[in-house]
Amino acid sequence: MQTIGFISPPSWFDPSPAEFPTVCAKAVQVQQCPLSLPELDWRIDSIARTEPELIAAARTLGEMGCSLVANVGTPFAWAGLASVTEARARQERLALAAGAPVVMSGIAIIEAFAALGARRIGLACTYYSDDWRDRWARLVAASGVDVVSAQNLAGQGLMPPHDDADRAYWAPTAEQIGESVRRLAETAPQIEAIAVSGAGSRTLALIPALEREIDRPVFGSDTALYWAAAKAAGVALKPGILGRLTDAC
Amino acid sequence: MQTIGFISPPSWFDPSPAEFPTVCAKAVQVQQCPLSLPELDWRIDSIARTEPELIAAARTLGEMGCSLVANVGTPFAWAGLASVTEARARQERLALAAGAPVVMSGIAIIEAFAALGARRIGLACTYYSDDWRDRWARLVAASGVDVVSAQNLAGQGLMPPHDDADRAYWAPTAEQIGESVRRLAETAPQIEAIAVSGAGSRTLALIPALEREIDRPVFGSDTALYWAAAKAAGVALKPGILGRLTDAC
């Protein structure tokens, strides 16, 4: 049986280790290693300096026998880096430490757009600050897709403006996420697919209804990671469980 | 919902986070923080020096929102200490770091004997080396019970003798565990209850049959920890799921 090890962001309850087995068509085992960074101030420049902790967590999960390591938390893949190529090099350094393949949600989202054949895309950045949103949009654009629009909940008037570190806002409701995706789809009708980012923005239960409503692929940093992890582990997903992304390859 | 955070031994696949929710009568959430100690040589004197890592893991799980922390791996509770009182003080130091109550399997076993009213007890130490076995027996005896016999698989001729660190032996079969418990019960008929220790010695599925066979309470470091965690979290266990220990209090 495959054992998937999750590297979780610090100081946060991570639903991924319990949720991932529920999307798989056959049994998988999971383990978890959270980053121990109690002092992290959540600025992108600070996250950029967490690679040593990511490496240590990857090594720990590898030593526990994990056959695949999955990193939760989009910016851990790309903070401090200018391109998805550089992010993939970070991912490779983690794989070397783990002695096993590694998938990272920040890279999985970019690969999901490619697998869906989406060239003009939208980013629903939910609780991201303007700085996080703009840096994330630049990274995605550097992968070669056309980022038609990147919007956060504060900018959409769906949440008060707040700082990077104000975690009171890091658990948007299903209604906020849905409304954000709808507005993005409406204001930019040429968008072919939408990625919802923010590990605290849980989309697994929302995808089918949202895709029906806007008639375009929608995925989250959660479902993109599950898709990438299942693919890398060679584990089949339950039919349609991640919406249109389920069978993309 | 209660969130139970498991501190797992280093370099080992820990089934506890996935197994614990299956013994609970209502839904619980779990998180996991493994100890990152790749160089640990598994001598008791080395394990005795891991309290800083235990403290850090407890803090990490507390910051993730865990309402209870459970430490897997019996010797982490007592290595380097002479009494259960000292072990409880270590447990309190972890609780202070976590900001939440802590249970440890090494203490849970001793509390399980007391809850069962067992005064003359047996220790099935499975893959423990003679040194681990003798130190563990001394600690249990220091709690005030009469340790009638402590036996390991090597001493019982059920496994080749091996060093503390020889992890090839750390996953005994159900047959080895069962035979070890049977021999212990037969050679010391005055024993009132038996604890199977070694986190790699999984007993959850074996307890009911073993208890029927020897007609005395049997529990493992796994089931003792689940019992202590459920009690501390105020979560009901499934009826009889841990055998006679299930309803002990």
Side-chain angles (χ1 to χ4, degrees):
Chain A
M1 198 188 307
Q2 298 273 358
T3 303
I4 318 302
F6 287 87
I7 302 178
S8 299
S11 310
W12 181 64
F13 173 85
D14 185 357
S16 312
E19 207 169 69
F20 179 67
T22 72
V23 307
C24 294
K26 64 174 192 176
V28 295
Q29 296 179 320
V30 295
Q31 296 280 273
Q32 178 184 20
C33 184
L35 298 173
S36 290
L37 292 162
E39 309 300 333
L40 186 68
D41 65 7
W42 294 99
R43 293 188 311 107
I44 292 294
D45 293 340
S46 304
I47 297 174
R49 290 190 292 270
T50 63
E51 190 173 310
E53 284 79 12
L54 290 166
I55 296 266
R59 182 174 294 124
T60 294
L61 290 167
E63 281 160 357
M64 294 165 85
C66 294
S67 47
L68 177 75
V69 170
N71 170 234
V72 176
T74 310
F76 291 97
W78 56 265
L81 307 177
S83 72
V84 69
T85 305
E86 289 179 39
R88 285 208 179 91
R90 175 177 287 168
Q91 186 172 256
E92 274 311 302
R93 290 190 290 275
L94 267 63
L96 196 68
V102 172
V103 292
M104 306 183 82
S105 57
I107 295 170
I109 289 174
I110 289 165
E111 292 177 344
F113 282 131
L116 289 162
R119 300 286 304 156
R120 289 170 297 176
I121 64 92
L123 301 176
C125 302
T126 66
Y127 55 79
Y128 282 14
S129 65
D130 291 354
D131 181 53
W132 278 45
R133 178 199 61 199
D134 293 344
R135 297 207 199 200
W136 171 229
R138 277 202 296 276
L139 192 280
V140 176
S143 78
V145 297
D146 177 8
V147 179
V148 178
S149 185
Q151 301 180 12
N152 59 14
L153 286 163
Q156 292 174 318
L158 296 168
M159 179 178 273
H162 56 91
D163 289 341
D164 293 352
D166 194 341
R167 300 174 58 197
Y169 295 100
W170 288 17
T173 63
E175 291 67 32
Q176 286 172 314
I177 295 167
E179 184 58 22
S180 179
V181 168
R182 268 188 294 274
R183 290 196 193 185
L184 189 54
E186 281 163 16
T187 56
Q190 70 273 41
I191 284 173
E192 294 161 1
I194 291 176
V196 179
S197 59
S201 301
R202 309 308 295 175
T203 74
L204 179 59
L206 313 179
I207 296 297
L210 281 172
E211 288 189 334
R212 273 195 305 276
E213 201 174 338
I214 71 164
D215 194 25
R216 278 163 276 182
V218 180
F219 56 90
S221 48
D222 50 0
T223 61
L225 185 66
Y226 300 158
W227 166 77
K231 198 155 55 100
V235 173
L237 292 163
K238 289 180 184 166
I241 188 79
L242 307 181
R244 301 196 191 178
L245 183 59
T246 312
D247 300 313
C249 54
Chain B
M1 199 188 308
Q2 297 273 359
T3 302
I4 318 302
F6 287 88
I7 302 177
S8 300
S11 309
W12 180 64
F13 173 85
D14 186 357
S16 313
E19 207 169 66
F20 179 67
T22 72
V23 306
C24 294
K26 63 173 192 177
V28 295
Q29 296 180 319
V30 296
Q31 296 279 274
Q32 179 185 20
C33 183
L35 298 173
S36 291
L37 292 162
E39 309 301 332
L40 187 68
D41 65 8
W42 293 99
R43 295 187 312 104
I44 292 293
D45 292 341
S46 304
I47 297 173
R49 290 191 291 270
T50 62
E51 189 172 312
E53 284 79 12
L54 289 166
I55 296 266
R59 182 174 294 122
T60 293
L61 290 167
E63 280 159 359
M64 293 165 84
C66 294
S67 47
L68 177 75
V69 169
N71 170 234
V72 176
T74 311
F76 292 96
W78 56 266
L81 306 178
S83 72
V84 69
T85 305
E86 288 179 41
R88 285 208 181 91
R90 176 177 287 169
Q91 186 171 256
E92 274 311 301
R93 290 190 290 274
L94 266 63
L96 196 67
V102 172
V103 292
M104 305 183 83
S105 57
I107 295 170
I109 288 174
I110 289 165
E111 292 178 344
F113 282 131
L116 289 162
R119 300 286 303 155
R120 288 170 297 177
I121 63 94
L123 300 177
C125 301
T126 66
Y127 55 79
Y128 282 14
S129 65
D130 291 352
D131 181 53
W132 277 44
R133 177 199 61 198
D134 293 345
R135 297 206 197 202
W136 171 229
R138 277 201 296 278
L139 193 279
V140 176
S143 78
V145 296
D146 177 8
V147 180
V148 177
S149 185
Q151 301 180 12
N152 59 15
L153 286 163
Q156 291 174 319
L158 295 168
M159 179 178 273
H162 56 90
D163 290 339
D164 292 351
D166 194 342
R167 300 173 58 197
Y169 296 100
W170 289 17
T173 63
E175 290 68 31
Q176 286 172 314
I177 295 167
E179 184 57 23
S180 179
V181 168
R182 269 188 293 275
R183 291 196 192 183
L184 188 54
E186 281 162 18
T187 56
Q190 71 273 41
I191 284 172
E192 295 162 359
I194 291 176
V196 179
S197 60
S201 301
R202 307 308 295 175
T203 74
L204 179 59
L206 314 179
I207 296 299
L210 281 172
E211 289 190 333
R212 274 195 304 275
E213 200 173 341
I214 70 165
D215 194 24
R216 277 163 276 183
V218 180
F219 56 90
S221 49
D222 50 359
T223 60
L225 184 66
Y226 300 158
W227 166 78
K231 199 155 55 97
V235 173
L237 291 163
K238 288 180 183 167
I241 189 80
L242 307 180
R244 300 197 193 179
L245 184 58
T246 312
D247 299 314
C249 54

